[in-house]
Amino acid sequence: MSFITRGFSGRSRDRDDRLPPGQTLVPDFPVLSAGPTPEVDTAEWEFTIRTESGVHRWNWDEFMALAIEDVDTDIHCVTHWSKLGTNWRGVSLDTLFEHVETEREFVMAHSYGGYTTNVPLDELLGGKAWVAFEFDGEPLEPEHGGPARLLVPHLYFWKSAKWVRGLLMMDEDEPGFWEQNGYHLHGDPWTEERYW
Amino acid sequence: MEHVDGNALAGPLAEFFSFDATTATARCNGCGAIGELARAMVYRSGAGTVVRCSSCDHVLATLVETAGRAWIGLSGISAIEVPRGPATSSG
């Protein structure tokens, strides 16, 4: 509980508390891609989790049969835009990891098209991450990462890998695509972990 | 063999990093193609610029620019050939 009202916070009255430092609200949904948009047919799509003991695999139909959650969340891009109250549907990583046994604590997300990004496993569990396939009530468009993308809204949005195809469990936290090339290994928008 | 420290790079790398990217050629680590950088495919986004091989789509290079800082990644390139004037030393 907070006993400090907005008036005593010293912040601008116009500044939304949901907005991390250095961010600006946008009404639209900018598209940032590191390459051509992969066209992935759901008939060919599959999602895997690779651990030290084997591979867990779901095709599209198996994936759709899992518990599906509605997610209302704010998203924050490292390029300084934020979008509040976005609506998604997807499968929680808690559900996907329900029957996965692993001692490894770090994850490399791999995407169709070759993109990778790293996230510690404990930042994907506990209701903090999903594999999302709908945005605003519509199937996720390819340019926004469809048929399915990772959704890790408490980190900068480059961690929410578009066109996600699988998670590789790792012993160490290794940098993904943008993390090798200047961006922060972790990416917390509230502490502005933007770059090395 | 003796080595010197990285300060010795100042001269040669000053020449190298002032090269004209439109006339340089590079070898792709993905498919081995050697081609002019000017013919590579360049994708620009707010997060950064990604340069891809026009033969195999492999990422050749990345550029990340922000206020006061910039990064260039060349992990997809095994070597870059830059044009230079007549040799001034036979080594």
Side-chain angles (χ1 to χ4, degrees):
Chain A
M1 185 186 294
S2 171
F3 294 96
I4 302 174
T5 67
R6 234 179 144 74
F8 293 111
S9 69
R11 292 196 187 133
S12 161
R13 193 170 294 183
D14 297 331
R15 176 94 189 159
D16 194 310
D17 286 343
R18 294 172 295 173
L19 208 52
Q23 298 293 107
T24 305
L25 285 179
V26 292
D28 54 347
F29 194 161
V31 173
L32 303 180
S33 292
T37 298
E39 297 287 339
V40 185
D41 192 330
T42 53
E44 306 292 325
W45 183 91
E46 71 167 10
F47 184 81
T48 59
I49 297 177
R50 291 172 191 274
T51 73
E52 60 273 38
S53 57
V55 183
H56 300 255
R57 218 177 272 279
W58 295 265
N59 65 26
W60 188 258
D61 290 339
E62 290 164 342
F63 196 78
M64 289 297 134
L66 298 171
I68 293 168
E69 298 182 9
D70 281 292
V71 184
D72 286 302
T73 189
D74 306 334
I75 56 177
H76 311 292
C77 181
V78 70
T79 62
H80 296 277
W81 60 261
S82 289
K83 198 169 168 59
L84 302 181
T86 59
N87 175 250
W88 306 79
R89 290 183 83 221
V91 175
S92 168
L93 272 282
D94 295 307
T95 301
L96 292 167
F97 274 88
E98 203 167 29
H99 302 293
V100 174
E101 296 275 338
T102 181
E103 296 294 314
R104 297 182 175 171
E105 295 180 1
F106 299 96
V107 175
M108 186 71 79
H110 287 258
S111 294
Y112 290 97
Y115 181 78
T116 56
T117 191
N118 59 298
V119 188
L121 178 59
D122 66 0
E123 303 229 14
L124 295 177
L125 302 180
K128 286 186 285 200
W130 296 263
V131 172
F133 53 85
E134 274 186 29
F135 174 73
D136 258 352
E138 300 288 337
L140 194 57
E141 293 175 18
E143 66 172 3
H144 287 304
R149 76 180 296 162
L150 200 58
L151 178 63
V152 195
H154 73 284
L155 299 176
Y156 281 124
F157 213 46
W158 89 77
K159 296 287 188 182
S160 295
K162 294 178 180 181
W163 314 296
V164 70
R165 67 181 301 170
L167 307 178
L168 173 66
M169 300 308 303
M170 305 184 296
D171 286 322
E172 308 285 338
D173 198 8
E174 295 173 20
F177 179 81
W178 283 122
E179 295 85 356
Q180 289 175 39
N181 290 301
Y183 285 90
H184 198 279
L185 199 62
H186 181 230
D188 180 356
W190 295 96
T191 54
E192 290 203 74
E193 292 176 336
R194 297 178 192 273
Y195 306 101
W196 292 353
Chain B
M1 183 175 170
E2 287 185 18
H3 63 268
V4 295
D5 72 25
N7 287 306
L9 293 171
L13 282 192
E15 178 189 12
F16 183 81
F17 280 115
S18 63
F19 72 87
D20 178 355
T22 61
T23 56
T25 57
R27 182 183 179 281
C28 171
N29 272 338
C31 69
I34 297 171
E36 294 168 6
L37 273 177
R39 297 183 57 205
M41 300 180 294
V42 176
Y43 293 86
R44 287 179 165 154
S45 77
T49 298
V50 179
V51 185
R52 288 175 179 267
C53 175
S54 57
S55 297
C56 75
D57 219 29
H58 187 75
V59 175
L60 296 174
T62 57
L63 300 169
V64 173
E65 295 172 87
T66 179
R69 302 174 73 189
W71 292 258
I72 179 165
L74 298 170
S75 62
I77 291 174
S78 63
I80 297 177
E81 177 185 351
V82 301
R84 69 188 309 202
T88 55
S89 164
S90 60

